[in-house]
C-alpha cells in the first residue's frame, strides 16, 4: 500500500511527457461533482454530518472494485506541507488543502485517480492523464461513477441533473480540462487572440494550479464552463474535436514560423534560459517555471539534447516549494528556498 | 483581399458594414483600433461575472417581493446571492424560478439536463432524457443541414417513443 511519503519518489503518470499530442498537451483531466442524496450541501452540514459523509464515502470508495491500489489521505489531519505537496501534484485543489472541516482524498497508486471527499461538493472525482487522453479519462471516471452509483445514491433531479452546491456545476457536474504548453504562441504575441477565441466558446482559462491562478511559464489550463444542457459526450467532444486541435494547429504553426523567421531569437531564449538554470545561485519557483518552459520548447524542437520531457516535467514538480522542502528536509527556511532550488537545478542540469 | 487597418498599417481583423443615411460604409480595423473605437467582438462574459450581474439584477427585482426560504435547510435567496452556494438539493426546487433564469445565463441558454442519468434513477427518467438529447441533436443537425443524420435521429426518437 502506498503512502503519502512515497509520492515524491515517483513520477506521476501525467508527467511522463508522453501520450498523444504531448508536444502541446501536457495532461488531460476530467472531474465529476457529486453529492449524496438526502443530505444537505456542505455549507449547511453540521460537523457531525460532515464526518458522516467522510466515513460513508471513504468506506464505499475503499470497499474495492473501484480502482487498483487506492490509498486514502486524511487531509484534515495532514500537515500544511503535505497538503501543499498534494496540490502541486494536482491531487487535491487549493480549496481542499485550505479548508478546515473533516475531509480526505483517495488516490490511486499511479496518481491518475483522485477522489476528493468534502471539497465544495461531497465528492469530487478526478482522472488525470498525460497528453491528450480526454476520451480515455472520461471513460474511466464514468466507470468509477457507475460503480460508486451502484452503492450510493447521488442527489439528482430530472430537470437539473446532478445537483451541486454551486449552480455553475449543476447538470453533468463535469469539468473537462487540458493543460497546454503554448510557448510559441506566447513568443509570437498571438496568444491573446487564441485565448480570446477560447473565451468566446465559453471556456475558462486558468494557470497551472487551477482556480484563481495566473498562467506561468506559458502553461495554460483550458476548461469548459457549461455543464447543463449538454451531454457529457458532447462536452468531451468539443475539446477533442474542436478546441484542442485548434490550439495544436496554432501552436505548431507558430513554432514553425518562429523557427523559419527568427531561429536565432528562439535559440537565444532557449539557451539563455538553460544557462540561467545551470548557473543561478538563487531562483524563485515562478522564474523556474518560466525558464523550464523555454527548455521544454528547446527539447521539442531538438535544440537541447540529453534531457527528455519526463525529466523536465520532474524538474517542474521537484522545484515547486513543497516538493523542494519535502526532498531537502522539512526545516529549510523559507528565505533559503530560492538558494536550495538553484542548487538543485544546477546539479540536475550540470551534465548537459 | 487583405485589408489594412483604416487607422494604422496593421492588418485589419475586424470588418464592419454599417448603413448610415442610406449609405453603406465599410470599416476595416485592427483589434487595437477597434477596441479604441469601442467596437469589440462580442466576447462571452465569465460565469462568475454573470452570476454577479444576475445576483445584482435579481436583488433589484426581488427587493419588494417577500423573501423565499427553503423549508428543508432554511437557506433564503439573499443568503445564496451573498455566498453563491446553495444549502441543500431542495433549494433547486424552492428557488427554481430565479435559478432557471440564472442557469440559462450561465449555461448558454440551457435549463434542462440532458446528460447522464444515474443507475438508480428509474427507467422512465432515463428514457425521457435520452429522447430529449436526441431532440436537441436533431435540431442542431437540421440547422447544420445534415439531413441524413437528422433522418436517423428522427427514426430513433419515434422508436423510443413507441417502445
Amino acid at each position: 500500500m502506498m503512502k503519502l511519503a512515497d509520492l515524491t519518489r515517483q513520477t506521476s503518470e501525467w508527467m511522463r511527457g508522453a501520450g498523444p499530442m504531448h508536444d502541446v498537451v501536457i495532461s488531460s483531466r476530467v472531474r465529476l461533482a457529486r453529492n449524496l442524496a438526502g443530505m444537505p450541501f456542505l455549507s449547511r452540514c453540521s460537523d457531525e454530518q460532515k464526518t458522516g459523509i467522510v466515513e460513508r464515502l471513504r468506506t464505499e470508495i475503499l470497499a474495492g472494485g473501484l480502482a487498483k491500489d487506492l490509498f486514502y489521505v486524511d487531509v484534515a489531519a495532514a500537515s500544511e506541507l503535505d497538503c501543499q505537496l498534494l496540490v502541486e501534484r494536482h491531487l487535491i485543489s487549493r480549496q481542499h488543502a485550505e479548508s478546515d472541516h473533516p475531509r480526505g482524498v483517495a488516490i490511486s497508486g499511479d496518481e491518475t485517480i483522485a477522489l476528493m471527499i468534502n471539497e465544495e461538493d461531497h465528492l469530487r472525482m478526478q482522472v488525470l492523464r498525460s497528453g491528450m487522453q480526454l476520451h480515455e479519462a472520461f471513460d474511466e471516471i464514468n466507470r468509477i461513477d457507475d460503480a460508486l452509483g451502484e452503492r450510493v445514491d447521488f442527489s439528482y433531479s430530472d430537470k437539473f441533473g446532478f445537483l451541486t452546491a454551486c449552480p455553475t456545476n449543476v447538470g453533468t457536474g463535469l469539468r473537462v480540462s487540458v493543460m497546454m504548453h503554448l510557448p510559441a504562441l506566447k513568443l509570437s504575441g498571438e496568444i491573446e487572440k487564441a485565448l480570446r477565441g477560447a473565451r468566446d466558446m465559453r471556456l475558462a482559462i486558468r494557470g497551472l494550479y487551477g482556480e484563481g491562478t495566473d498562467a506561468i511559464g506559458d502553461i495554460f489550463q483550458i476548461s469548459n464552463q457549461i455543464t447543463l444542457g449538454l451531454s457529457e459526450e458532447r462536452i468531451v467532444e468539443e475539446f477533442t474535436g474542436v478546441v484542442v486541435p485548434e490550439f495544436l494547429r496554432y501552436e505548431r504553426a507558430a513554432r514553425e514560423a518562429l523557427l523559419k523567421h527568427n531561429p536565432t531569437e528562439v535559440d537565444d531564449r532557449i539557451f539563455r534560459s538553460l544557462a540561467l538554470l545551470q548557473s543561478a545561485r538563487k531562483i524563485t519557483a515562478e522564474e523556474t517555471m518560466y525558464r523550464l518552459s523555454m527548455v521544454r520548447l528547446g527539447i521539442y524542437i531538438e535544440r537541447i539534447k540529453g534531457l527528455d520531457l519526463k525529466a523536465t516535467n520532474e524538474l517542474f514538480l521537484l522545484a515547486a516549494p513543497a516538493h523542494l522542502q519535502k526532498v531537502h528536509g522539512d526545516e529549510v527556511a523559507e528565505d533559503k528556498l530560492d538558494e536550495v532550488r538553484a542548487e538543485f537545478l544546477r546539479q540536475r542540469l550540470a551534465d548537459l | 483581399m487583405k485589408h489594412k487597418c483604416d487607422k494604422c498599417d496593421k492588418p485589419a481583423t475586424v470588418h464592419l458594414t454599417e448603413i448610415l443615411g442610406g449609405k453603406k460604409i465599410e470599416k476595416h480595423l485592427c483589434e487595437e483600433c477597434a477596441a479604441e473605437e469601442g467596437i469589440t467582438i462580442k466576447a462571452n462574459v465569465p460565469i462568475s461575472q454573470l452570476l454577479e450581474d444576475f445576483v445584482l439584477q435579481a436583488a433589484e427585482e426581488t427587493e419588494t417581493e417577500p423573501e423565499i426560504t427553503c423549508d428543508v435547510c432554511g437557506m433564503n435567496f439573499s443568503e445564496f446571492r451573498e455566498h453563491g452556494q446553495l444549502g441543500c438539493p431542495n433549494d433547486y426546487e424552492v428557488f427554481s424560478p430565479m435559478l432557471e433564469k440564472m442557469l440559462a445565463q450561465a449555461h448558454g441558454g440551457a435549463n434542462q439536463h440532458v446528460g447522464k442519468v444515474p443507475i438508480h434513477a428509474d427507467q422512465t427518467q432515463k428514457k425521457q432524457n435520452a429522447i430529449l438529447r436526441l431532440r436537441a441533436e436533431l435540431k442542431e443537425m437540421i440547422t447544420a443541414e445534415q439531413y441524413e443524420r437528422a433522418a436517423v435521429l428522427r427514426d430513433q426518437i419515434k422508436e423510443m417513443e413507441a417502445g
Side-chain angles (χ1 to χ4, degrees), chain A residues 114-223:
Chain A
L115 311 171
M116 279 186 278
I117 305 174
N118 283 357
E119 204 241 22
E120 186 179 287
D121 294 296
H122 298 161
L123 184 62
R124 288 273 176 106
M125 304 182 271
Q126 101 167 9
V127 170
L128 181 61
R129 291 191 172 213
S130 59
M132 181 56 187
Q133 296 196 61
L134 275 182
H135 276 304
E136 294 83 350
F138 175 71
D139 287 347
E140 175 138 48
I141 199 99
N142 199 30
R143 189 187 54 72
I144 294 171
D145 182 48
D146 282 346
L148 209 51
E150 296 270 11
R151 302 179 205 163
V152 292
D153 281 344
F154 294 127
S155 194
Y156 176 85
S157 97
D158 265 357
K159 178 150 186 63
F160 297 121
F162 290 94
L163 303 178
T164 51
C166 181
T168 52
N169 298 309
V170 81
T172 58
L174 174 67
R175 185 85 67 226
V176 161
S177 45
V178 282
M179 195 140 72
M180 288 190 281
H181 186 215
L182 307 171
L185 281 176
K186 187 100 178 254
L187 272 180
S188 66
E190 291 164 74
I191 190 76
E192 269 314 311
K193 202 187 271 177
L195 294 181
R196 201 174 313 137
R199 284 195 192 97
D200 286 348
M201 291 181 71
R202 291 239 171 170
L203 304 173
I205 297 145
R206 300 194 179 91
L208 190 51
Y209 294 108
E211 203 93 39
T213 63
D214 288 333
I216 26 176
D218 320 330
I219 292 173
F220 300 86
Q221 194 176 295
I222 300 188
S223 50

Side-chain angles (χ1 to χ4, degrees), chain B residues 2-162:
Chain B
K2 271 206 170 178
H3 287 276
K4 278 185 177 177
C5 175
D6 295 344
K7 297 194 150 187
C8 64
D9 273 335
K10 286 187 199 148
T13 52
V14 180
H15 308 280
L16 286 173
T17 309
E18 283 183 283
I19 311 286
L20 270 179
K23 266 189 188 170
K24 191 173 138 194
I25 299 166
E26 284 189 14
K27 279 186 182 177
H28 306 281
L29 299 166
C30 72
E31 285 187 26
E32 282 102 301
C33 294
E36 267 179 36
E37 287 231 319
I39 305 161
T40 44
I41 305 148
K42 195 173 162 283
N44 276 301
V45 191
I47 277 196
S48 52
Q49 181 66 43
L50 279 172
L51 194 71
E52 209 171 283
D53 289 352
F54 168 77
V55 157
L56 290 175
Q57 185 193 334
E60 284 167 19
E61 283 173 11
T62 52
E63 228 162 351
T64 50
E65 289 168 29
E67 183 77 273
I68 300 174
T69 304
C70 171
D71 56 340
V72 174
C73 73
M75 170 89 55
N76 60 41
F77 199 66
S78 354
E79 203 179 333
F80 161 63
R81 281 202 308 250
E82 207 171 303
H83 302 291
Q85 301 264 319
L86 293 164
C88 79
N90 190 50
D91 292 352
Y92 279 97
E93 294 298 318
V94 179
F95 303 145
S96 180
M98 291 98 104
L99 270 180
E100 267 186 50
K101 213 162 136 191
M102 193 207 89
L103 287 171
Q105 279 180 323
H107 295 281
N111 60 10
Q112 170 68 51
H113 178 60
V114 296
K116 181 174 180 170
V117 176
I119 295 164
H120 288 177
D122 64 44
Q123 287 301 308
T124 330
Q125 247 180 44
K126 222 173 212 172
K127 203 168 100 184
Q128 279 176 355
N129 263 3
I131 294 173
L132 201 69
R133 191 187 310 179
L134 288 174
R135 281 232 172 80
E137 201 185 335
L138 173 66
K139 198 176 147 205
E140 239 182 69
M141 289 302 124
I142 290 171
T143 317
E145 299 183 356
Q146 306 269 327
Y147 296 119
E148 273 179 29
R149 173 80 186 137
V152 173
L153 288 167
R154 203 170 280 134
D155 289 343
Q156 271 180 319
I157 293 169
K158 254 189 214 153
E159 211 177 284
M160 287 190 76
E161 280 177 337

Side-chain angles (χ1 to χ4, degrees), chain A residues 21-25 132 180-182 184-185 188 190-191 193-194 197 201 239-258:
Chain A
M21 308 173 193
H22 66 263
D23 57 328
V24 176
V25 183
M132 181 56 187
M180 288 190 281
H181 186 215
L182 307 171
L185 281 176
S188 66
E190 291 164 74
I191 190 76
K193 202 187 271 177
M201 291 181 71
F239 273 76
T240 53
V242 184
V243 180
V244 174
E246 286 274 285
F247 271 93
L248 200 73
R249 201 160 51 82
Y250 286 149
E251 172 64 20
R252 281 177 179 167
R255 285 179 194 180
E256 247 173 65
L258 276 177

